[in-house]
Structure formats: C-alpha cells, structure tokens
Amino acid sequence: MKFLSVRDLRGKSAQVWKDLPNEREMIITSNGRPIAILAAISESNFEESLKAFRQARAVEAVASLQRRSVDQGTDKITMEEIGAEIKMARSKLDRMR
C-alpha cells in the first residue's frame, strides 16, 4: 500500500491517477498522519465499492460506541434502565413542545 502526502497528491496528481489502478488504494497523509483512502473503482464495481465502504464505516462506528461504553462503564446498564432513560428523555421533549 502506497502512502502519499497531500502535497504529493497536489503536485503529482497526473502520476497518482496513472498509478492508482495498479496500486488499488493509496493512503493520503497530512503532516505524516493518515487522513484519507484513495481507492480505485470502476463503473462496474462502483455500487459494490460504495456499499462496502459504507458498511466498513458503520462497523467502525459501532465498535467505537462499544469501546466508549466500556470506558464509561455504561456497558453494564440493564434494559430496564435503558427504558427508564428513554422514557425520561421523551418526557422532557414533550414538555418542551
């Protein structure tokens, strides 16, 4: 996998587009930190690629929520406690309307 700085992407964009089909994906960095993935796709696999990308983002979002829940200790909340929180939040919303 090739790493490419934002500066290189700007300055060598023609070469990047030429190399991308063979590389398949490149990681774009800013100040040495990864910020984006540039991936080769085609008309024939566009929908599948987009679906896979969105699914990967959703999986990461759920994993992040689970990690945060464990860190905060909220992973041990019971369904009854969750129901009570929802009921209280809905009650507050109803009073605001």
Side-chain angles (χ1 to χ4, degrees):
M1 185 177 321
K2 188 172 186 177
F3 286 76
L4 189 68
S5 70
V6 172
R7 179 182 297 180
D8 287 339
L9 179 60
R10 268 191 251 126
K12 302 175 184 175
S13 61
Q15 187 65 44
V16 170
W17 302 132
K18 182 181 172 191
D19 294 346
L20 187 58
N22 293 330
E23 291 287 336
R24 300 292 299 144
E25 65 261 337
M26 296 179 186
I27 304 300
I28 309 302
T29 62
S30 178
N31 297 319
R33 302 170 103 179
I35 60 166
I37 299 171
L38 189 59
I41 62 169
S42 67
E43 259 184 81
S44 64
N45 72 2
F46 168 72
E47 291 294 330
E48 294 84 6
S49 296
L50 187 57
K51 182 179 177 181
F53 175 74
R54 288 177 174 165
Q55 185 175 9
R57 288 178 77 182
V59 167
E60 175 52 32
V62 169
S64 176
L65 287 171
Q66 289 172 331
R67 286 189 300 271
R68 195 169 352 143
S69 178
V70 169
D71 291 346
Q72 295 174 349
T74 55
D75 58 320
K76 310 246 185 313
I77 295 176
T78 66
M79 289 305 292
E80 291 79 20
E81 291 170 316
I82 292 170
E85 282 289 325
I86 292 170
K87 186 176 180 179
M88 185 173 58
R90 287 180 177 161
S91 175
K92 286 180 182 178
L93 282 175
D94 288 343
R95 282 183 266 152
M96 291 173 48
R97 293 181 186 164

